[in-house]
């Protein structure tokens, strides 16, 4: 079994253009394929994050801009965290938690994207049995 996140955006394609170079994600599907005209899938290592157009109905998705804040976040494990953080600073992304070390040795920082979703980047692999 694998899992991924689905995030609601007013304009998922514009968000993908902003996210991909900044955070090192790659888009794997989108409007060129017309398979999913309202969403784009992006990879973060072996994992997938789907940026979907906001919607109502049976499975409503909202942008944090519409809700007044994020209700969840995405955690991405990054091997070269220092250079990732520097690239994020240079791009002017809004940092909400500066790069710091936790007591257990893991390091992380957090930003908000163009629509207010919370993205956390860190060195802790939550699935590793060895800890931080």
């Amino acid at each position: 079994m694998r899992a991924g996140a689905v995030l609601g955006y007013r304009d998922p394609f514009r968000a993908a253009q902003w996210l991909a170079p900044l955070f090192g994600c790659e888009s794997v599907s989108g409007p060129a394929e017309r398979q999913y005209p309202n969403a784009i899938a992006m990879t973060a290592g072996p994992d997938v994050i789907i940026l979907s157009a906001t919607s109502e109905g049976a499975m409503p998705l909202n942008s944090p801009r519409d809700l007044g804040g994020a209700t969840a976040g995405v955690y991405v494990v990054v091997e070269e965290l220092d250079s990732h953080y520097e690239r994020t600073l240079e791009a002017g992304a809004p940092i909400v938690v500066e790069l710091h070390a936790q007591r257990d040795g893991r390091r992380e920082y957090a930003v908000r994207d163009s629509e207010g979703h919370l993205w956390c980047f860190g060195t802790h692999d939550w699935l590793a049995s060895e800890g931080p």
Side-chain angles (χ1 to χ4, degrees), residues 40-99:
I40 186 165
M42 300 186 66
T43 59
D47 303 311
V48 66
I49 301 164
I50 300 167
L51 313 183
S52 178
T54 56
S55 62
E56 296 180 8
M59 196 171 113
L61 286 173
N62 293 293
S63 167
R65 289 169 69 188
D66 298 328
L67 298 173
T71 60
V74 177
Y75 188 93
V76 180
V77 178
V78 178
E79 290 181 23
E80 299 293 332
L81 189 61
D82 291 314
S83 60
H84 193 273
Y85 180 70
E86 289 302 319
R87 187 172 64 239
T88 302
L89 286 175
E90 289 170 9
I95 306 290
V96 294
V97 177
E98 296 289 334
L99 180 60

Side-chain angles (χ1 to χ4, degrees), residues 7-55:
L7 304 174
Y9 285 86
R10 291 179 182 174
D11 187 341
F13 305 107
R14 184 173 178 199
Q17 290 174 341
W18 187 81
L19 288 167
L22 181 63
F23 298 151
C25 299
E26 294 182 33
S27 72
V28 294
S29 72
E33 292 84 6
R34 292 289 173 220
Q35 189 175 12
Y36 305 103
N38 297 318
I40 186 165
M42 300 186 66
T43 59
D47 303 311
V48 66
I49 301 164
I50 300 167
L51 313 183
S52 178
T54 56
S55 62

Side-chain angles (χ1 to χ4, degrees), residues 108-120:
E108 56 195 19
Y109 75 96
V111 303
R112 292 207 183 274
D113 68 18
S114 58
E115 293 206 22
H117 289 284
L118 183 63
W119 292 76
C120 301

